[in-house]
Amino acid sequence: MVDAKQVRFIIGVIGNVISFGLFAAPAKTFWRIFKKKSVEEFSYVPYVATVMNCMLWVFYGLPVVHKDSYLVSTINGVGLVIELFYVGVYLMYCGNKQNYRKKILFYLLGEVVSVAIIVLITLFVIKNDFIKQTFVGVICDIFNIAMYASPSLAIITVVKTKSVEYMPFLLSLVCFVNAGIWTSYSLIFKIDYYVLASNGIGTLLALSQLIVYFMYYKSTPKKEKTVKPSEVEISATNRV
């Protein structure tokens, strides 16, 4: 008979697969950058931000912070490698565009220093296990909720224009499924309040995005679709 721990593991594996799909989603964008040897108008911000998010969740899932959450570390470890690859490609083809290369390297350095400080405080200053989880978990949640909320910025445009042309439906749908899976994972066997908090809120945010999409879908003017950078650039920032 399958027990709760095994069910949690199975759901975690499913969550890893879905999250990997989100991490891999921008591959089309970077193939385009590679072929054109230019980053065009694509922004580096989502990928640099995701590097920070992944580093934090990798640390959170380690036994020194939270036991029985290694599946959180594994997928974010994979995601970190993928995101660093994306950033590397961006650095290769951004040229001297608005000093992007210097800005990216500066932000990455800031992220590494910030995570190093968080790790040092967690390992050497905080002695209580519960406080360790709370300290790292709250920081992870802040970043994760921000990632889930990012597609919601399009809602204002949708309401004003009564058009879903710039509403990233696929991203919202996959984020909804992803957040739902990880919410389920956090509730089984051992409740993980920090995975639950950000993904529970993420589920509601993604659901609200989908509701708005279907409310305004019929009122969207039908015309020949031209793909813009802002539409194809799907950020893999909403993980665990």
Side-chain angles (χ1 to χ4, degrees):
M1 185 174 179
V2 179
D3 59 21
K5 188 174 183 179
Q6 290 174 319
V7 172
R8 187 176 193 259
F9 175 78
I10 293 170
I11 292 177
V13 171
I14 295 172
N16 270 235
V17 173
I18 296 173
S19 294
F20 178 81
L22 276 172
F23 281 123
K28 183 178 179 180
T29 296
F30 283 89
W31 176 243
R32 172 174 167 169
I33 289 173
F34 175 76
K35 288 195 299 182
K36 295 196 172 185
K37 311 299 183 192
S38 171
V39 298
E40 300 178 280
E41 297 304 316
F42 291 111
S43 172
Y44 60 83
V45 175
Y47 311 103
V48 174
T50 305
V51 169
M52 178 72 168
N53 198 42
C54 287
M55 286 193 292
L56 288 170
W57 281 108
V58 166
F59 182 54
Y60 176 83
L62 296 178
V64 292
V65 177
H66 195 286
K67 297 178 180 179
D68 300 314
S69 288
Y70 60 90
L71 286 175
V72 174
S73 288
T74 55
I75 186 55
N76 281 283
V78 172
L80 178 59
V81 173
I82 294 174
E83 295 301 319
L84 286 174
F85 173 77
Y86 290 154
V87 173
V89 173
Y90 198 100
L91 285 169
M92 189 180 300
Y93 294 112
C94 68
N96 294 318
K97 189 174 183 179
Q98 297 180 14
N99 294 316
Y100 277 5
R101 187 172 282 110
K102 289 182 180 179
K103 290 179 181 178
I104 292 171
L105 293 175
F106 176 78
Y107 291 142
L108 288 176
L109 177 60
E111 289 179 353
V112 171
V113 171
S114 298
V115 172
I117 291 173
I118 292 170
V119 170
L120 291 173
I121 291 174
T122 304
L123 296 180
F124 300 108
V125 177
I126 303 174
K127 303 300 181 183
N128 183 277
D129 288 341
F130 175 76
I131 297 177
K132 284 183 180 180
Q133 291 179 22
T134 302
F135 175 65
V136 180
V138 168
I139 295 173
C140 288
D141 278 347
I142 291 171
F143 275 87
N144 223 29
I145 292 170
M147 300 297 181
Y148 276 122
S150 58
S152 296
L153 296 174
I155 290 178
I156 299 173
T157 302
V158 171
V159 174
K160 284 183 177 180
T161 62
K162 300 188 183 307
S163 169
V164 297
E165 182 180 1
Y166 297 103
M167 189 75 175
F169 171 74
L170 182 59
L171 178 60
S172 297
L173 177 61
V174 179
C175 283
F176 175 72
V177 176
N178 186 65
I181 288 291
W182 285 107
T183 298
S184 301
Y185 172 87
S186 68
L187 291 169
I188 299 174
F189 184 60
K190 289 183 179 180
I191 297 179
D192 190 326
Y193 293 103
Y194 304 106
V195 172
L196 173 62
S198 59
N199 285 282
I201 293 173
T203 302
L204 296 176
L205 287 169
L207 179 60
S208 68
Q209 294 156 18
L210 292 173
I211 291 172
V212 170
Y213 182 90
F214 286 111
M215 283 176 60
Y216 290 94
Y217 176 76
K218 290 186 178 180
S219 64
T220 302
K222 299 297 185 294
K223 60 182 180 180
E224 186 178 350
K225 185 175 181 181
T226 55
V227 180
K228 302 175 178 63
S230 59
E231 294 177 276
V232 299
E233 183 181 357
I234 299 176
S235 169
T237 58
N238 311 307
R239 309 297 174 269
V240 179

